[in-house]
Amino acid sequence: MLTKDHAEAIARKLKAVMVPGRKHDIAVIKFNGKTIAQFGIRRGSRRDQGHDYIPGQIHVTRQQAALLAQCTMSFEEWIAVMRQKGHVGT
């Protein structure tokens, strides 16, 4: 399960710009000036609350999202995956 800590780590790794919201902060991920993904990070005090929707919103598998959170996958590797899937141009 991806937790709030994982979500924050992914946002940092992907150089997300944080946009405050009422119940969630929105992590907006841009590449070459274009938004390519975004996801919400719950503001609740429970750090163990699930954020399992994130992989779908950043266009990766659960395993790849876990690798991003654990610092095993780099921003550049994530961009390469986005290119393969057609979310980012060359």
Side-chain angles (χ1 to χ4, degrees):
M1 173 173 69
L2 292 175
T3 64
K4 182 176 182 177
D5 291 332
H6 293 125
E8 290 170 343
I10 291 169
R12 280 190 305 275
K13 173 69 75 72
L14 299 182
K15 304 171 187 174
V17 174
M18 300 305 291
V19 179
R22 197 172 114 217
K23 292 185 179 183
H24 295 77
D25 288 329
I26 307 299
V28 179
I29 305 152
K30 295 184 178 207
F31 183 71
N32 290 338
K34 181 181 174 189
T35 299
I36 54 174
Q38 68 181 30
F39 61 91
I41 300 176
R42 292 185 178 112
R43 285 195 177 179
S45 59
R46 291 185 47 213
R47 296 202 72 76
D48 63 341
Q49 192 170 18
H51 285 73
D52 292 330
Y53 52 86
I54 292 175
Q57 293 182 342
I58 61 172
H59 316 294
V60 296
T61 65
R62 283 180 183 250
Q63 181 180 6
Q64 289 170 321
L67 292 174
L68 280 166
Q70 298 166 359
C71 295
T72 306
M73 179 184 274
S74 70
F75 176 75
E76 290 75 18
E77 291 169 324
W78 180 75
I79 289 295
V81 171
M82 295 302 98
R83 282 193 175 110
Q84 289 173 339
K85 293 184 175 190
H87 295 290
V88 174
T90 55

